[in-house]
């Protein structure tokens, strides 16, 4: 068997045995000492250029030595859960602060400016009262169904009276009269938070890989307090939108660092469960926010109340340590030793139980210089960049098509009067999200990460294609005079049937697309190596942000191009179904620590390999160098198994 050289360390190793589509821990992949060929003792200089596999096998060696998920680690996990409630408040605050109210002209007392969800008639911006995302507002240059005189009369008003449906007495729209000619500024305010999130994910993710998760978390909290409280003191909508951009930037840093820390604290069997608990806590914040808004009554008070709890996170600098897994992966063994001693002391672990000699190996590597990696290194990889790209497209498609289903559900032609109520709309969205997360738990537990992602993507594609095709087919045949039988059956009922199908497909699509987006982010956190996990998460979360950005863009253009928008994302779901098959399965697998380990995460076939059937794919070493076929004859006398690139062993 040929040996393979680790480009990051220089030490020689045997090709890792693969199981279930991912690489085994380094300690398990090494050839037994009895089978090693005799070698001359290494000089101190040569020993200084090597590092131990034991220290890289965090899940198999270091974490068991620390006591697994001990009491100290459980307290740290709890500290990553609590801020999810505050983050949810900030994430959904736009629904209340930027809600479009009904309006009347206070000067003449006329009701010409009143907005009605069922009769848009005389308003200059005839849109539904409330949408799942924020309601679409038309630009002043957009064409309307009314004549020019009523349009001008409805906006010729110097003072408005508003009726807000979101539990507030005053919000951003009513404070600065963002109606008629100024209605487009509402969309800019919505853009600012999402664009801030996108830039925040990209930049803070790379910085977290370079200076650590803890430092990025602290600075994000500090600046979020500064910008968040400044938003409440805004004097005009321009200042509000600018500060919301920076608030979104800081919120992205907090969310990303907590997500990475949560993943890196857990053993393989607990990662998904602990991540889902954080999601449920975030949904609790979504359900509690309407009551909080009703208590605050004013958007400035609501903004201050949402931001102030982040003051508690300043204490994390003293009680929350740096990610030990990141310290070990970046070869910062001096800091890692201090943290290991602190952890075993708080977990009351007996140091004599160090059977594998983790501390002994750590003492030998204390003089090693740290080695940090940037996400741009992934460009030179063979498999890792493809995996991250596939998950980026999945998250973009999942969050992008989510708005298409939401728009269909809130379509005025559907005539669902209950969905035009703000709270019915808001809690319907929250309920669908909750149902999606509840369904993810058994599905991912049974099918795994890749199987669950594939199932939810297929459901999304079916809901989208049926909504685009079947509903138009019903309308086509019921309006065709040649199809007399169908016309008699569906006469007077075609619109009702079409609307019911549209609602069903919209709910199914929102349910499955949310699962696709959430699972893509979690999947990326598991297959991206520790040294670049922040950057990888940043890319996938930023892609999700681009998907969410399509909603305000369409609203700004008065829903023009909506059908094409849905068709494009429906085509993307079909592409994603094929690409998901190329991903590895990370369930119950150790997290990769460096880029080399990430490259050895390979896919497992969906169907089990038949016993005795010879695989057709070559091994990793054979793919890199065909001369390995000849070397393995001379060196592989003691090797009884051959591991293929798809994770199947053949004797």
């Amino acid at each position: 068997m040929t040996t393979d050289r680790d480009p990051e360390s220089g030490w020689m190793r045997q090709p890792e045995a693969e199981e279930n589509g991912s690489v085994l821990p380094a300690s398990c992949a090494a050839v037994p000492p009895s089978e090693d060929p005799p070698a001359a003792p290494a000089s101190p200089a040569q020993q200084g250029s090597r590092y131990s596999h034991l220290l890289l096998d965090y899940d198999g060696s270091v974490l068991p030595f620390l006591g697994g998920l001990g009491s100290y680690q459980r307290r740290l996990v709890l500290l990553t859960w609590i801020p999810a409630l505050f983050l949810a408040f900030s994430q959904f605050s736009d629904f209340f602060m930027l809600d479009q109210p009904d309006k009347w002209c206070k000067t003449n007392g006329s009701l010409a400016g009143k907005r009605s969800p069922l009769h848009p008639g005389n308003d200059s911006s005839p849109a539904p009262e409330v949408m799942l995302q924020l309601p679409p507002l038309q630009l002043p240059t957009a064409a309307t169904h009314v004549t020019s005189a009523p349009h001008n009369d409805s906006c010729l008003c110097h003072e408005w009276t508003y009726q807000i449906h979101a539990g507030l007495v005053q919000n951003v729209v009513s404070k600065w009269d963002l109606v008629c000619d100024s209605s487009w500024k509402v969309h800019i305010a919505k853009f600012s938070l999402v664009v801030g999130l996108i830039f925040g994910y990209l930049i803070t993710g790379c910085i977290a890989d370079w200076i650590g998760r803890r430092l990025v978390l602290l600075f994000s909290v500090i600046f979020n307090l500064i910008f968040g409280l400044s938003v409440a003191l805004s004097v005009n909508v321009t200042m509000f939108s600018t500060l919301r951009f920076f608030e979104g930037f800081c919120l992205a840093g907090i969310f990303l660092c907590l997500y990475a820390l949560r993943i890196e604290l857990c053993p393989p069997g607990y990662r998904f469960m602990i991540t889902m608990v954080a999601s449920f806590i975030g949904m609790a914040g979504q359900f509690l926010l309407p009551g909080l808004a009703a208590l605050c009554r004013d958007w400035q008070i609501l903004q201050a109340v949402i931001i102030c709890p982040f003051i508690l996170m300043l204490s994390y600098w003293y009680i929350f340590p740096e990610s030990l897994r990141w310290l070990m992966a970046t070869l910062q063994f001096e800091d890692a030793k201090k943290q290991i001693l602190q952890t075993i002391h708080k977990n009351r672990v007996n140091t004599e139980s160090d059977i594998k000699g983790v501390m002994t190996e750590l003492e030998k590597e204390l003089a090693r210089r740290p080695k940090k990696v940037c996400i741009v290194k992934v460009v030179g990889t063979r498999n890792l960049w493809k995996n991250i790209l596939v998950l980026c497209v999945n998250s973009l498609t999942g969050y992008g098509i989510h708005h298409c289903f939401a728009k269909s559900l809130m379509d005025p032609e559907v005539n669902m009067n209950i969905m035009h109520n703000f709270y019915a709309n808001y809690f319907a969205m929250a309920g669908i999200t909750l149902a999606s997360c509840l369904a993810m738990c058994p599905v991912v537990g049974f099918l795994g990460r890749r199987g669950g992602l594939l199932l939810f993507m297929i459901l999304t594609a079916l809901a989208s294609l049926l909504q685009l095709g079947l509903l138009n087919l019903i309308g086509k045949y019921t309006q065709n005079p040649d199809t007399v039988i169908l016309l008699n059956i569906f006469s007077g009922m075609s619109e009702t049937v079409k609307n019911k199908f549209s609602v069903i497909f919209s709910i199914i699509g929102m349910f499955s697309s949310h699962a696709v987006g959430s699972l893509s982010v979690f999947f990326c956190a598991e297959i991206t190596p520790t040294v670049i996990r922040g950057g990888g998460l940043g890319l996938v979360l930023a892609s999700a942000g681009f998907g969410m950005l399509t909603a305000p863009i369409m609203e700004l253009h008065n829903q023009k191009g909506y059908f094409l928008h849905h068709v494009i994302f429906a085509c993307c779901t079909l592409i994603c179904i094929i690409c998901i098959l190329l991903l590895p399965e990370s369930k119950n697998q150790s997290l990769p620590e460096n880029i080399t380990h990430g490259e050895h995460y390979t896919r497992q076939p969906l169907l089990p390999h038949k016993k005795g059937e010879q695989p057709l794919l070559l091994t990793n070493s054979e793919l890199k160098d065909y001369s390995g076929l000849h070397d393995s004859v001379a060196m592989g006398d003691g090797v009884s198994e051959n591991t293929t690139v798809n994770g199947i062993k053949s004797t």
Side-chain angles (χ1 to χ4, degrees), residues 538-556:
L539 288 174
V540 176
L541 287 169
S543 300
F546 277 113
M548 291 185 289
L549 195 61
T550 59
I553 288 177
M554 285 180 55
E555 293 170 8
L556 185 63

Side-chain angles (χ1 to χ4, degrees), residues 302-548:
L302 177 64
Q303 174 68 15
V305 170
I306 287 173
I307 294 298
C308 284
F310 285 100
I311 296 176
L312 300 175
M313 293 189 66
L314 295 176
S315 61
Y316 280 34
W317 177 255
Y318 300 100
I319 62 179
F320 208 103
E322 181 57 84
S323 171
L324 178 58
R325 189 188 295 268
W326 177 77
L327 292 174
M328 300 287 286
T330 54
L331 312 183
Q332 301 181 67
F333 295 123
E334 184 69 36
D335 295 333
K337 178 184 175 183
K338 298 177 182 178
Q339 191 166 321
I340 287 177
L341 294 175
Q342 178 185 4
T343 303
I344 62 177
H345 172 70
K346 294 190 175 183
N347 283 336
R348 299 180 181 179
V349 176
N350 187 1
T351 55
E352 296 180 359
S353 63
D354 187 12
I355 302 176
K356 296 185 178 182
V358 174
M359 293 302 295
T360 304
E361 292 292 336
L362 189 61
E363 292 287 347
K364 297 178 182 179
E365 304 291 345
L366 291 180
R368 179 172 294 278
R369 296 180 58 185
K371 187 173 183 180
K372 302 174 183 179
V373 184
C374 183
I375 187 63
V376 296
K377 292 286 185 180
V378 79
V379 177
T381 61
R382 184 174 182 177
N383 299 315
L384 189 56
W385 73 270
K386 298 177 184 177
N387 295 337
I388 295 177
L389 179 62
V390 169
L391 293 174
C392 285
V393 176
N394 274 268
S395 63
L396 172 66
T397 304
Y399 284 100
I401 203 171
H402 187 87
H403 174 68
C404 297
F405 294 118
K407 169 65 171 59
S408 299
L409 186 64
M410 297 306 302
D411 194 339
E413 296 180 0
V414 177
N415 292 327
M416 288 188 63
N417 296 338
I418 188 174
M419 294 307 295
H420 296 295
N421 179 273
F422 175 84
Y423 289 106
N425 173 32
Y426 182 87
F427 286 112
M429 182 196 68
I432 293 173
T433 302
L434 178 61
S436 177
C437 290
L438 289 174
M440 284 173 60
C441 297
V443 169
V444 174
F446 181 72
L447 297 178
R449 280 59 161 153
R450 184 179 61 167
L453 183 60
L454 181 62
L455 175 63
F456 287 119
M457 184 60 79
I458 291 175
L459 288 177
T460 304
L462 288 176
S464 180
L465 294 176
L466 288 174
Q467 190 173 54
L468 291 173
L470 180 61
L471 299 184
N472 291 332
L473 192 65
I474 293 176
K476 174 182 177 181
Y477 280 99
T478 54
Q479 295 176 7
N480 189 349
D482 296 333
T483 57
V484 180
I485 299 178
L486 289 176
L487 184 60
N488 292 331
I489 294 176
F490 291 104
S491 177
M493 298 179 58
S494 59
E495 285 301 321
T496 303
V497 172
K498 184 177 179 180
N499 292 341
K500 289 182 178 179
F501 274 114
S502 178
V503 171
I504 293 173
F505 293 146
S506 297
I507 293 175
I508 295 175
M510 292 174 64
F511 168 88
S512 57
S513 61
H514 178 270
V516 166
S518 300
L519 197 53
S520 297
V521 176
F522 175 74
F523 208 160
C524 176
E526 284 198 320
I527 67 174
T528 306
T530 302
V531 292
I532 58 170
R533 181 163 293 120
L537 269 174
L539 288 174
V540 176
L541 287 169
S543 300
F546 277 113
M548 291 185 289

